Amino acid sequence: MKKQLVIIGAGPAGLTAAYEMLRNSKEYEVTLLEAEDIVGGISKTITFSGYKVDTGIHRFFTKNDEIKKIWEELLPLQNRPAYDDIKINRQRNYREKGSDPEKEEKSMLIRDRITRIYYGKKFYDYPISLKFSTLKNMGFINIIKVGCSYLKSCIIKKEETTLENFFINRFGKVLYNMFFENYTEKVWGRHPKDISADWGAQRVKGISISEIIKDVINKLLGRKNEKNTETSLIEQFVYPKLGAGQIWEEMAKEIKKLGGTILLKSKVNRIIIEENKIIQLEYETEGKRKTIDVDVCISSMPLKDLIAGIENEKVPEEIKNIAKGLPYREFMSVCMLVDKLNFKNNTKIKTLGDIIPDSWIYIQEPKVKMGRLQIFNNWSPYIFKNKEKMENEVLIGIEYFCSENDEYWNMSDEDFIEFAKKDAESIGLIEKNSIKEAVRIKIPKAYPAYFDTYAEIDKLKNYLNKYENLYCIGRNGQHRYNNMDHSMLTGIETIKNIINGKKDKENIWNINTEQKYHEEK
């Protein structure tokens, strides 16, 4: 009789774990319990009025060959030009084998990563570059200040006890004040001096002025090696033809073909424990409570909810309090279909309809709450209802960060869409009468945060490790701000541990904790 592997959550981590187990072992029946009515977690793609839009920014890039292989098995990389490539005669280097996105649904597109900062009504490259346009926008006096500030940061290093000190050590105080301080507070709702430096080590990793200079020199000398290039400096990524969620939908299909079960709208609310092992999960579906027996449990649900669900033994008060105190930031976006953008394409980069070429833009204007702007036209032409009309319309995502149940989260959809329209108008992005359609998207617990009881996360981790058949994976399952590939890796490593009978879970918890993890072969 097969053992029962039950996975909580059908996001990138949970789906990858199920996919890997079913491909590598016949020992387990695999069941995924997903609270939403769609797979993909925060990387899902929704459809509105015939258009496909992502719930946030999800570029596909990894330096890990295992992850690349999985992506390409599910969606082969394009080896023929996409619709927009053809229309603007964009040249790319294609492999001999792959997919033709004009003919095949299963296709991964090659996209150029163009990301800028909008600050002081001017555009700056992100990460900050040493191009003439950057120096011109800053002005001579600011350049001198930036240079002196950076040199000071090279000589006098601050103890990296806070995110503020982390940034100042790498960029100097002047650049920190310009491009990091206000935006970080907008995203996290806390000043960088109140946030752990761990966030910088996880997300910014080795990026600094010295890395930017090194990158410029390598390009001038014709030396380019993506394996040794910091992730934020990578200039291309791949992206599913029909939106980020397409790859998770394809993975879900494969899981079912391999004999796995995915139960949607099935929210786990109780974890039943016996002798340091999970023996059963209780979940709610369509108003009914059901139970499922468990031999091995993999959880990608938020740690806060996991601890709250353990009822069959008394969880120590200290652990309960740490879990209750773990902070999150919620994500909201307003996706708008508009006739045109007022932001002009003043670059030399050709685009369909001559719109700005950015995949996304960090909005660092302090007078608006808007945090990022996503331009879907530059991700894939196939997410449009009619790709032939996309030269005359622009699909954008105006993105916000907030806290659950604050005044913005609790606004009605109509009121918040109106609020977003005013934000967009106030920075000169659009004219209000150019909006054709709009939809609001809300994602709770999108970003695990690094303050409050996060400082005691190791106590929580050690407590959970005592449940020998429980494995915590993914962004919320580990309360770590992972990228997609790192979340997938937690699933892969977990399955290797289970199949090989490895009891120690440190290799799973340690994914994406080292600054150079998977940055080099």
Side-chain angles (χ1 to χ4, degrees):
M1 191 174 183
K2 289 188 176 183
K3 297 177 184 176
Q4 298 297 316
L5 169 61
V6 183
I7 300 170
I8 305 172
L15 287 167
T16 302
Y19 186 56
E20 287 297 290
M21 179 59 87
L22 290 164
R23 292 198 304 167
N24 291 288
S25 173
K26 303 294 182 187
E27 193 178 348
Y28 291 88
E29 292 280 355
V30 178
T31 304
L32 289 103
L33 301 175
E34 170 54 50
E36 301 291 328
D37 61 358
I38 186 173
V39 299
I42 66 169
S43 302
K44 59 182 174 279
T45 297
I46 67 164
T47 301
F48 93 101
S49 300
Y51 296 82
K52 290 182 178 294
V53 292
D54 290 347
T55 53
I57 290 166
H58 305 292
R59 67 180 176 124
F60 287 68
F61 176 81
T62 186
K63 296 183 181 184
N64 181 273
D65 291 335
E66 260 183 302
I67 301 297
K68 282 182 184 176
K69 188 179 177 187
I70 291 173
W71 287 343
E72 290 186 22
E73 284 170 352
L74 296 168
L75 297 176
L77 192 64
Q78 72 175 101
N79 74 336
R80 295 286 185 276
Y83 177 77
D84 52 350
D85 296 328
I86 295 166
K87 295 291 283 185
I88 63 175
N89 194 29
R90 181 162 47 208
Q91 301 300 310
R92 297 194 186 280
N93 293 321
Y94 299 114
R95 296 179 187 173
E96 188 177 333
K97 292 183 179 179
S99 61
D100 182 348
E102 281 288 273
K103 296 177 181 176
E104 299 168 65
E105 287 291 90
K106 292 184 180 183
S107 186
M108 191 76 95
L109 306 181
I110 302 167
R111 300 281 96 176
D112 295 320
R113 182 246 170 99
I114 299 162
T115 306
R116 292 184 291 176
I117 295 167
Y118 189 68
Y119 170 76
K121 297 187 177 179
K122 293 176 182 176
F123 285 103
Y124 294 85
D125 289 339
Y126 177 83
I128 296 298
S129 71
L130 298 178
K131 292 178 183 175
F132 174 73
S133 59
T134 304
L135 303 178
K136 181 183 174 185
N137 284 346
M138 280 191 182
F140 179 74
I141 293 174
N142 272 335
I143 290 168
I144 298 298
K145 287 180 180 177
V146 165
C148 292
S149 172
Y150 174 65
L151 288 173
K152 182 180 177 182
S153 75
C154 292
I155 298 165
I156 304 170
K157 291 292 183 186
K158 293 178 175 288
E159 186 182 356
E160 290 191 359
T161 52
T162 68
L163 187 57
E164 178 174 72
N165 290 353
F166 178 94
F167 283 135
I168 291 172
N169 281 347
R170 282 154 184 77
F171 298 95
K173 188 156 188 186
V174 174
L175 271 183
Y176 159 74
N177 291 148
M178 288 175 69
F179 295 119
F180 295 97
E181 185 175 22
N182 177 266
Y183 183 76
T184 303
E185 191 163 8
K186 187 184 286 189
V187 172
W188 296 106
R190 300 282 181 98
H191 192 274
K193 69 176 181 289
D194 298 321
I195 300 175
S196 166
D198 287 2
W199 184 92
Q202 301 272 325
R203 300 295 296 183
V204 183
K205 294 192 183 286
I207 291 296
S208 63
I209 293 291
S210 61
E211 285 296 328
I212 293 167
I213 293 169
K214 218 186 297 181
D215 186 60
V216 171
I217 292 169
N218 284 335
K219 286 174 184 172
L220 289 173
L221 296 176
R223 296 196 302 244
K224 193 172 181 182
N225 180 359
E226 286 196 344
K227 292 286 185 186
N228 295 322
T229 302
E230 291 298 338
T231 304
S232 292
L233 297 173
I234 297 299
E235 295 175 351
Q236 277 192 334
F237 59 91
V238 295
Y239 182 73
K241 172 181 173 177
L242 300 178
Q246 183 185 10
I247 202 153
W248 312 120
E249 290 158 16
E250 288 299 323
M251 189 178 275
K253 289 176 189 174
E254 290 300 314
I255 287 167
K256 290 173 185 175
K257 282 182 191 175
L258 291 165
T261 302
I262 301 175
L263 301 178
L264 300 176
K265 295 190 283 188
S266 299
K267 184 179 180 181
V268 173
N269 51 34
R270 189 163 170 253
I271 296 106
I272 299 160
I273 304 287
E274 196 174 276
E275 295 180 356
N276 284 342
K277 291 184 80 172
I278 295 175
I279 60 165
Q280 212 172 53
L281 297 176
E282 183 184 277
Y283 63 97
E284 189 172 332
T285 180
E286 296 178 348
K288 297 177 183 176
R289 291 197 171 188
K290 296 186 177 182
T291 58
I292 184 168
D293 291 336
V294 175
D295 290 301
V296 178
C297 179
I298 298 175
S299 172
S300 65
M301 73 192 296
L303 289 179
K304 178 179 283 190
D305 298 337
L306 178 66
I307 292 294
I310 297 174
E311 293 182 351
N312 274 18
E313 77 168 30
K314 187 173 173 60
V315 177
E317 282 302 314
E318 182 185 27
I319 298 301
K320 284 183 186 176
N321 291 333
I322 293 169
K324 282 179 187 175
L326 286 176
Y328 302 82
R329 284 291 271 177
E330 277 59 42
F331 170 87
M332 291 192 293
S333 69
V334 174
C335 296
M336 295 181 185
L337 184 68
V338 299
D339 290 321
K340 64 172 186 175
L341 299 180
N342 288 343
F343 286 178
K344 302 298 180 188
N345 183 11
N346 294 322
T347 73
K348 294 179 182 178
I349 301 167
K350 288 173 68 176
T351 59
L352 204 55
D354 197 33
I355 64 168
I356 52 175
D358 307 77
S359 312
W360 70 92
I361 298 168
Y362 295 102
I363 305 296
Q364 304 223 19
E365 297 289 7
K367 67 179 180 180
V368 294
K369 187 169 174 60
M370 181 193 313
R372 289 186 312 212
L373 171 68
Q374 186 168 8
I375 299 96
F376 289 104
N377 299 51
N378 298 325
W379 291 76
S380 170
Y382 305 102
I383 61 175
F384 280 75
K385 184 161 53 178
N386 185 339
K387 65 186 181 185
E388 283 77 18
K389 289 185 178 179
M390 68 177 287
E391 290 183 65
N392 302 309
E393 57 188 21
V394 187
L395 189 59
I396 59 174
I398 300 173
E399 301 183 346
Y400 293 86
F401 312 96
C402 62
S403 296
E404 198 166 8
N405 293 321
D406 70 12
E407 59 177 311
Y408 300 101
W409 184 263
N410 288 333
M411 276 187 188
S412 68
D413 287 347
E414 294 77 13
D415 287 346
F416 194 79
I417 288 170
E418 194 61 32
F419 176 81
K421 288 177 182 177
K422 289 176 182 175
D423 255 8
E425 279 186 287
S426 72
I427 63 168
L429 174 64
I430 58 170
E431 301 292 339
K432 194 174 181 180
N433 58 11
S434 71
I435 300 168
K436 295 178 178 179
E437 297 185 63
V439 66
R440 179 204 200 180
I441 299 167
K442 297 170 75 173
I443 305 289
K445 294 185 175 67
Y447 303 108
Y450 290 63
F451 38 83
D452 296 344
T453 59
Y454 173 79
E456 299 179 275
I457 192 79
D458 282 347
K459 291 180 182 178
L460 187 55
K461 183 186 82 173
N462 292 336
Y463 173 79
L464 290 169
N465 280 345
K466 79 175 191 174
Y467 299 119
E468 57 186 78
N469 67 337
L470 171 66
Y471 298 84
C472 296
I473 65 171
R475 181 181 279 200
N476 276 336
Q478 296 190 332
H479 202 86
R480 185 172 299 137
Y481 195 178
N482 289 328
N483 279 332
M484 225 179 321
D485 60 336
H486 287 116
S487 288
M488 292 175 71
L489 281 166
T490 61
I492 291 171
E493 287 300 307
T494 294
I495 298 307
K496 288 177 182 176
N497 279 22
I498 294 168
I499 290 174
N500 295 326
K502 183 177 179 180
K503 301 295 184 185
D504 186 8
K505 302 169 188 174
E506 282 306 300
N507 62 315
I508 302 165
W509 286 104
N510 285 341
I511 288 173
N512 198 26
T513 58
E514 297 300 323
Q515 287 197 21
K516 291 291 180 181
Y517 184 83
H518 282 127
E519 293 295 313
E520 298 177 9
K521 276 291 248 187

